[in-house]
Amino acid sequence: MMTLKVNGQENQIDADPDTPLLYVLRDDLKLNAAKFGCGLGQCGSCTVIVDGKAVLSCVTPLLLLEGKQVTTLEGLGTVSAPAPIQRAFMEEQAAQCGYCIAGMMMRAQALLLKNPKPTDAQIRAELQPNLCRCGTHMRILRAVHRAARLMDTADASASKRSGR
């Protein structure tokens, strides 16, 4: 038994320590945004955030996650209150088939957490491991820039409310 922190909640997981995180997220915790694409860490459909960094959950064994915070797309926002990254991807209509988009959003979210105003080149470099066959790359790029602006606006509003 191990404790796995996912989206701010502690979960008791009874699985082999070598089990890939993706299987536990989907099968045990019923968090289905991260997708099984290749199972080899080559497509990015399974991307989640672990302690602020984008991680390929299909090749990350549970034994590496003890004491770490895992965030999935479900942990960012809800349908009625989407996170800035989710809202931006919707507003830019960046998803087409939807298979890669959760991984794209999670990798973009990790980028924006460490670099709130990335350049096109930085966004492209960060998203490079994630494959998209639908060709919405330009909309994805616009969505990441929009999310950066939305996050900046939200941060400014929060600072104003707190008197900083």
Side-chain angles (χ1 to χ4, degrees), residues 38-131:
C38 66
L40 301 170
Q42 297 177 348
C43 74
S45 295
C46 66
T47 304
V48 297
I49 296 174
V50 177
D51 287 348
K53 296 180 181 170
V55 169
L56 300 167
S57 66
C58 74
V59 293
T60 303
L62 290 178
L63 63 93
L64 298 179
L65 300 169
E66 189 76 46
K68 298 186 178 187
Q69 175 59 51
V70 177
T71 305
T72 68
L73 189 64
E74 294 92 342
L76 296 183
T78 64
V79 173
S80 59
I85 193 77
Q86 294 166 315
R87 184 173 149 203
F89 270 69
M90 288 185 287
E91 290 172 354
E92 290 296 336
Q93 298 180 9
Q96 193 150 351
C97 83
Y99 209 81
C100 72
I101 217 67
M104 290 278 192
M105 282 193 268
M106 295 309 289
R107 190 166 293 280
Q109 177 74 12
L111 169 65
L112 294 174
L113 290 174
K114 67 182 176 190
N115 180 358
K117 295 184 182 188
T119 65
D120 283 356
Q122 290 168 324
I123 295 168
R124 284 185 174 108
E126 186 69 22
L127 296 182
Q128 184 274 329
N130 290 56
L131 302 178

Side-chain angles (χ1 to χ4, degrees), residues 145-156:
H145 282 297
R146 182 183 288 241
R149 290 190 304 274
L150 290 170
M151 290 169 84
D152 187 47
T153 302
D155 289 346

